[in-house]
Amino acid sequence: MNGNLKIAIQKKGRLTEKSLELLKTCGFEIENYKERLFVSARNFKIDLLFLRDDDIPEYVQDGVADVGIVGGNVVEEKLVDVEVTRELGFGKCTLMFGIPEDVELNHPNELNGKVIATSYPNILNNYFRRHDISARIIGISGSVEIAPSLGVADYVCDIVSTGTTLKMNKLKKSLTVLESQALLIKSGKKALSEEKQKILVEFLRRIDSALTAKKSKYLMMNIPKNSLDVISQTLPSLKSPTILSLADPEMLAVHAVIPKDKFWEIIDDLKKYGASGILLLPIENMIV
Ligand code: PRT
Ligand code: ZN
């Protein structure tokens, strides 16, 4: 035991690349991780454990890993005692019912008496209990979508992202059971040592900085001097924009941090007020 904070991430799958990308954005140097189960960061007191995603909630609960990055769907299904420390904003997907194209299903009540194939029997059981539904659940670990065409189930309840897999199996999206994304979790029952708690605080500070930065962009543009007031009001900036003078005395350069999703809403107004040379740059880290 080296006293480092142990972070479990998915070894090989949909969350692996984004998890590593997030950690690298936090400034952790992680090298030669391919085909290894365990690797230490070169410049910070963290170790990465590469695991199957299904094992991560339990390993975190039991303290084998101190924190873990895993889908909310997996956390819910495993019925473990873990706490969600951060929502990480990637790996977004929906656990929902898939039904044959020619069927209508608009209310949970209509599920009574049906047979549903799923890899998420615990989540589905809870859903049925919440809605007071009596239906049969068939637990299948892979290729759930083919169950209706094989005649073993009426509907499926599975993870959907684009909906292509459902479509390929002549199914369509129906009611939603759970919205999911990658989560940072820690144990609900194992307390961290004082030393690890300190590392966790710094780890979270960096994660928060990376997450805030991801939602923001750095906007740079030139504007006519007489548009400054109206453009300042248009900018949903976090702080007041930076104003710089230019060689042309009638023009100003304006720099501001803006929420990423606001850019396309304000671009027409900016142009209307004479903004030119508009640049939108990514921000890697942001301390607020
Ligand atoms: O080997 P290991 O057990 O670690 O990995 P895994 O195969 O169990 O999981 P993996 O890598 O497929 O997914 C990891 C996590 O990514 C999941 O637990 C979800 O939280 C998240 N995620 C995001 C998804 C999807 N999007 C997704 N589209 N997980 C699975 N899918 C599958 C889904 O099961 C279905 O087969 O993709 C298909 C549907 O996709 P669309 O785009 O056709 O709708
Ligand atoms: Zn898995």
Side-chain angles (χ1 to χ4, degrees):
M1 291 293 117
N2 57 11
N4 286 359
L5 188 78
K6 293 196 286 305
I7 303 166
I9 70 169
Q10 192 184 20
K11 180 169 172 52
K12 194 163 184 275
R14 289 170 200 264
L15 301 185
T16 308
E17 206 176 303
K18 287 266 170 72
S19 303
L20 286 166
E21 191 185 300
L22 174 65
L23 295 173
K24 286 179 182 168
T25 307
C26 290
F28 306 129
E29 288 176 18
I30 300 150
E31 284 167 21
N32 300 327
Y33 56 84
K34 290 215 164 72
E35 304 308 324
R36 288 172 64 180
L37 293 177
F38 179 93
V39 64
S40 301
R42 287 206 314 163
N43 57 348
F44 195 69
K45 296 179 90 176
I46 58 170
D47 297 335
L48 299 190
L49 304 182
F50 294 91
L51 302 170
R52 278 203 61 193
D53 68 345
D54 313 73
D55 296 331
I56 292 176
E58 213 170 318
Y59 276 29
V60 169
Q61 170 191 262
D62 297 342
V64 178
D66 301 308
V67 294
I69 296 177
V70 64
N73 50 313
V74 180
V75 175
E76 287 275 322
E77 180 60 23
K78 297 297 175 186
L79 308 175
V80 284
D81 185 0
V82 296
E83 290 168 9
V84 176
T85 308
R86 291 293 183 275
E87 293 183 336
L88 299 175
F90 61 88
K92 286 190 174 166
C93 55
T94 310
L95 181 65
M96 57 165 46
F97 290 97
I99 61 174
E101 281 164 349
D102 56 353
V103 170
E104 287 303 316
L105 169 65
N106 299 311
H107 191 276
N109 280 344
E110 296 158 28
L111 290 161
N112 270 308
K114 299 293 182 196
V115 180
I116 321 286
T118 188
S119 308
Y120 296 89
N122 292 327
I123 297 179
L124 196 52
N125 228 325
N126 279 335
Y127 177 89
F128 287 158
R129 216 174 300 143
R130 269 200 324 274
H131 291 91
D132 203 16
I133 304 290
S134 165
R136 214 175 108 217
I137 297 173
I138 299 190
I140 299 180
S141 56
S143 302
V144 169
E145 293 88 354
I146 58 167
S149 59
L150 294 178
V152 294
D154 297 305
Y155 307 150
V156 301
C157 177
D158 198 12
I159 293 291
V160 174
S161 146
T162 60
T164 314
T165 309
L166 286 183
K167 222 177 225 167
M168 278 176 0
N169 290 279
K170 298 200 171 359
L171 300 172
K172 64 179 179 185
K173 297 180 187 178
S174 181
L175 304 171
T176 292
V177 174
L178 180 85
E179 297 287 356
S180 179
Q181 61 175 298
L183 303 174
L184 182 74
I185 55 167
K186 68 173 188 176
S187 178
K189 59 181 193 186
K190 293 257 176 189
L192 293 182
S193 66
E194 204 175 312
E195 190 192 352
K196 282 195 178 179
Q197 187 60 37
K198 272 193 201 148
I199 306 173
L200 179 64
V201 169
E202 173 59 17
F203 176 75
L204 290 178
R205 195 169 79 101
R206 295 195 192 192
I207 292 273
D208 288 340
S209 143
L211 293 178
T212 315
K214 230 194 225 174
K215 292 185 203 141
S216 307
K217 293 272 180 189
Y218 195 72
L219 174 70
M220 298 167 72
M221 62 190 165
N222 296 340
I223 64 163
K225 218 172 202 169
N226 56 15
S227 296
L228 180 60
D229 282 350
V230 65
I231 284 187
S232 296
Q233 282 159 27
T234 307
L235 286 179
S237 166
L238 293 188
K239 292 192 196 107
S240 49
T242 307
I243 319 283
L244 305 162
S245 46
L246 291 172
D248 179 345
E250 294 309 312
M251 298 292 286
L252 293 170
V254 174
H255 298 185
V257 175
I258 61 165
K260 183 167 126 187
D261 49 358
K262 285 281 181 289
F263 179 69
W264 296 107
E265 286 174 26
I266 61 169
I267 179 76
D268 288 338
D269 280 345
L270 295 179
K271 284 191 155 168
K272 191 169 77 192
Y273 301 132
S276 60
I278 300 171
L279 288 179
L280 194 65
L281 308 175
I283 302 171
E284 197 165 86
N285 279 284
M286 204 162 109
I287 318 288
V288 285

